[in-house]
Amino acid sequence: LDRKWNALTVAVGLAGGWQFAESKLDEFESFGGALWVTAGLPVTRHGQVLLQSQYQARADSVEGEYDSFTYGAKLLVGSAKLNGFAELIGRHLQDTPSTVDDSTNEWSVGIEFKAAPDTWVSTGFGARFADAMKEDRVFLVAAIRWSVSTGPNLR
């Protein structure tokens, strides 16, 4: 697995949402749908480019929500357990009022390491990390220790 951490991968997803009034199958309302496409492309033995796009079509009944196209790219350089990264994420909203910002872009760079199976620790700077420093945010650092034994630990 460590040798193939940056292998070529492609994933496609499709989803839809409906509400059934009073749980009746013949009385439903659509909330819209979404389509995702994600790809991972190897760059030599020590790198990978990740690409993702998502289109969400919202139903007219979902107030305050708009159709959107989200895209992103992430360059990883390192190994299966430690990486440096640079990423760009953008979003474009369709048919918005003039008071709504219809396009956003965010970037960040940093490092990440695998702390445990399915657990990564990531730190960096850029727009993606800026929310952690806002007044209304809580930034928590904690330690949890687990142990398994055949008898009591306290004597």
Side-chain angles (χ1 to χ4, degrees):
L1 184 61
D2 286 351
R3 287 183 293 125
K4 296 183 180 184
W5 72 274
N6 64 343
L8 174 66
T9 58
V10 176
V12 177
L14 182 64
W18 299 270
Q19 178 181 17
F20 294 88
E22 298 179 10
S23 299
K24 296 179 181 175
L25 293 178
D26 60 343
E27 294 183 28
F28 67 91
E29 181 178 8
S30 172
F31 285 144
L35 171 68
W36 297 266
V37 178
T38 304
L41 310 168
V43 179
T44 71
R45 279 187 16 199
H46 302 288
Q48 184 178 43
V49 173
L50 302 172
L51 304 170
Q52 180 174 346
S53 63
Q54 175 188 33
Y55 180 76
Q56 289 187 338
R58 302 288 185 157
D60 292 337
S61 63
V62 183
E63 192 171 323
E65 295 289 333
Y66 307 99
D67 290 3
S68 65
F69 177 68
T70 306
Y71 55 89
K74 185 173 189 175
L75 172 64
L76 299 166
V77 177
S79 68
K81 296 180 182 172
L82 175 67
N83 291 301
F85 67 86
E87 66 184 352
L88 173 68
I89 298 172
R91 182 175 185 198
H92 179 74
L93 302 175
Q94 295 179 341
D95 301 325
T96 61
S98 61
T99 57
V100 174
D101 185 9
D102 64 354
S103 290
T104 58
N105 290 303
E106 298 179 345
W107 64 271
S108 65
V109 295
I111 59 171
E112 60 189 13
F113 70 91
K114 189 173 187 176
D118 299 324
T119 304
W120 285 81
V121 176
S122 179
T123 187
F125 64 91
R128 299 284 294 163
F129 291 91
D131 284 348
M133 306 311 283
K134 289 184 179 177
E135 288 181 19
D136 63 343
R137 300 288 192 243
V138 174
F139 192 91
L140 177 64
V141 177
I144 299 175
R145 292 186 172 88
W146 294 82
S147 67
V148 178
S149 67
T150 58
N153 234 356
L154 301 174
R155 295 178 195 258

